[in-house]
Amino acid sequence: MVNADIEIETLAEFDQVVARGSLSGYRIQSVNLLERTFALLSADTSAAVFLGCAMEPDASVKVRADGALVFPPVPDLPFNPYRGLLYTPEELFAGLPAGYEATPDAQAYAWIQETKADGDVFSSMLRSIHDDAISDALDEHLAGARVVGVMGGHAMSRGGTEYRGAAELGRVLARSGLTVATGGGPGAMEAANLGAYLAPAPDEALPEALELLAKAPSFAPSVSDWARAAFAVRDRWPGGGDSVGIPTWFYGHEPPNAFAGHIGKYFANATREDGLLARSTAGVVFLPGAAGTVQEVFDSATPNYYASRGEPAPMILVDRAHWTEHLPAWPLLQALARGRAMESRIALVDSVDEVPDALASMS
């Protein structure tokens, strides 16, 4: 069996496997089994692994006697370290009517602020288990997808022309059959996820959505107002297109955006950065940004330079003045690429309108 075949992540999957008579060798990940005591007492659970599965004491004793490994749920945590699936916006923003501070997203950030410097190996272990579970869920969700990363800064205002351009780019990429992946935060990242979300909607939906969002142009000073505006757009156009956001609690002042249908949020920023870029196998688009985006440019360039992930993925930098004058990363990227396989896989364009053609020419 390959790993994906032995993972059980929902109650429906559990019931299907139990109906075949044995749980031996399976990994049951964060499934509430309190109502499945009879099934656990009846089934062969030898060599099974239960990760964060609630179960009755009798069932726990029996499966341990079978030789199963049982990692019990951890009480009083604002997150589930064993989770089997990616987050949704509804999950991270649950409780938003009472204010952002009441949401699981804000509570997880508060927890890491309390524990990151206490030297407790248990807290560190829980963060690592959580992030590994998120990576596993991302791999499963993106299996077989053609993923294009869209990187950019968080400061881009919802009311600006740059935000609109990034949203139009996300929509074009999604409509071409690509899966849009971003850093999952505000600004350029939100705009690209918004475009992908509205890809199935009529063209006029985007300018209407931008007008609604402009009422709360930034997550500062109020994350609550900013998030509520996003959910108002989702309510106006329900069932939008899917995309992926990969944010981090490391940047706790930046909330995740509500337009990515699936969210892989990490505690460790380095793991998040590498995972986001490694999964963008169809190419990466770099919109104007500051230090974080510059870091992403060269995090992407390094494996392309060494060909450590195989054929170099396309890299497209948008806004010539930004990348040659304001933050001149382009000349260095050109120098690195010269004479190597990645040389034909990098491009500098003036606007987002040029990105689809540039991407197509390198794919």
Side-chain angles (χ1 to χ4, degrees):
M1 289 184 178
V2 298
N3 287 342
D5 292 333
I6 64 173
E7 292 181 4
I8 296 174
E9 295 161 337
T10 67
L11 198 57
E13 291 175 343
F14 177 87
D15 290 341
Q16 290 172 3
V17 173
V18 166
R20 297 197 291 266
S22 176
L23 290 165
S24 180
Y26 279 87
R27 282 77 172 104
I28 303 90
Q29 192 170 351
S30 192
V31 180
N32 188 333
L33 300 175
L34 289 172
E35 302 297 325
R36 295 297 186 273
T37 299
F38 180 77
L40 292 169
L41 294 176
S42 304
D44 176 11
T45 57
S46 59
V49 179
F50 293 85
L51 297 166
C53 298
M55 63 180 78
E56 295 291 351
D58 289 352
S60 178
V61 170
K62 184 268 180 184
V63 300
R64 291 174 190 269
D66 277 353
L69 289 176
V70 178
F71 294 80
V74 181
D76 302 322
L77 278 182
F79 64 95
N80 177 4
Y82 305 113
R83 62 179 303 115
L85 303 172
L86 297 174
Y87 292 101
T88 65
E90 293 85 353
E91 182 180 2
L92 287 175
F93 285 102
L96 182 62
Y100 174 68
E101 295 75 14
T103 66
D105 185 68
Q107 291 168 0
Y109 177 64
W111 177 86
I112 193 175
Q113 290 297 101
E114 293 172 1
T115 62
K116 66 181 180 181
D118 63 8
D120 185 352
V121 67
F122 186 55
S123 297
S124 176
M125 182 189 73
L126 291 173
R127 293 194 295 268
S128 296
I129 291 172
H130 170 275
D131 285 1
D132 189 67
I134 290 295
S135 292
D136 182 64
L138 275 171
D139 287 339
E140 293 173 4
H141 180 70
L142 294 175
R146 296 172 59 231
V147 181
V148 59
V150 180
M151 313 297 156
H154 68 265
M156 191 179 287
S157 172
R158 283 171 166 174
T161 56
E162 288 185 338
Y163 186 97
R164 179 181 184 129
E168 290 172 343
L169 173 63
R171 184 174 63 178
V172 168
L173 294 173
R175 286 178 173 177
S176 72
L178 293 165
T179 296
V180 174
T182 77
M189 297 170 280
E190 181 189 56
N193 287 128
L194 168 66
Y197 181 84
L198 292 176
D203 287 352
E204 58 268 23
L206 181 55
E208 292 178 32
L210 293 174
E211 187 175 346
L212 288 172
L213 292 172
K215 296 175 182 178
S218 173
F219 61 94
S222 173
V223 175
S224 300
D225 291 345
W226 175 84
R228 288 176 186 135
F231 279 99
V233 170
R234 290 174 57 93
D235 291 342
R236 173 69 177 82
W237 292 277
D242 190 28
S243 65
V244 173
I246 307 180
T248 174
W249 280 292
F250 179 80
Y251 297 125
H253 63 288
E254 293 184 21
N257 77 72
F259 295 113
H262 290 83
I263 300 173
K265 190 154 190 177
Y266 285 87
F267 288 108
N269 186 51
T271 306
R272 167 253 192 177
E273 290 276 8
D274 184 68
L276 171 56
L277 295 168
R279 291 176 176 87
S280 298
T281 53
V284 187
V285 180
F286 298 93
L287 301 174
T293 311
V294 172
Q295 177 180 334
E296 289 164 344
V297 169
F298 292 103
D299 280 348
S300 184
T302 300
N304 283 349
Y305 179 88
Y306 291 110
S308 56
R309 294 177 183 149
E311 184 179 2
M315 297 177 63
I316 302 173
L317 277 61
V318 180
D319 191 330
R320 191 176 303 273
H322 183 83
W323 294 117
T324 61
E325 299 171 17
H326 181 58
L327 293 174
W330 174 250
L332 179 53
L333 185 61
Q334 275 187 307
L336 282 171
R338 193 167 296 123
R340 307 186 78 88
M342 67 180 287
E343 187 171 17
S344 63
R345 313 283 283 181
I346 63 172
L348 175 67
V349 299
D350 290 308
S351 72
V352 293
D353 296 336
E354 301 172 66
V355 169
D357 287 343
L359 191 62
S361 70
M362 292 188 284
S363 299

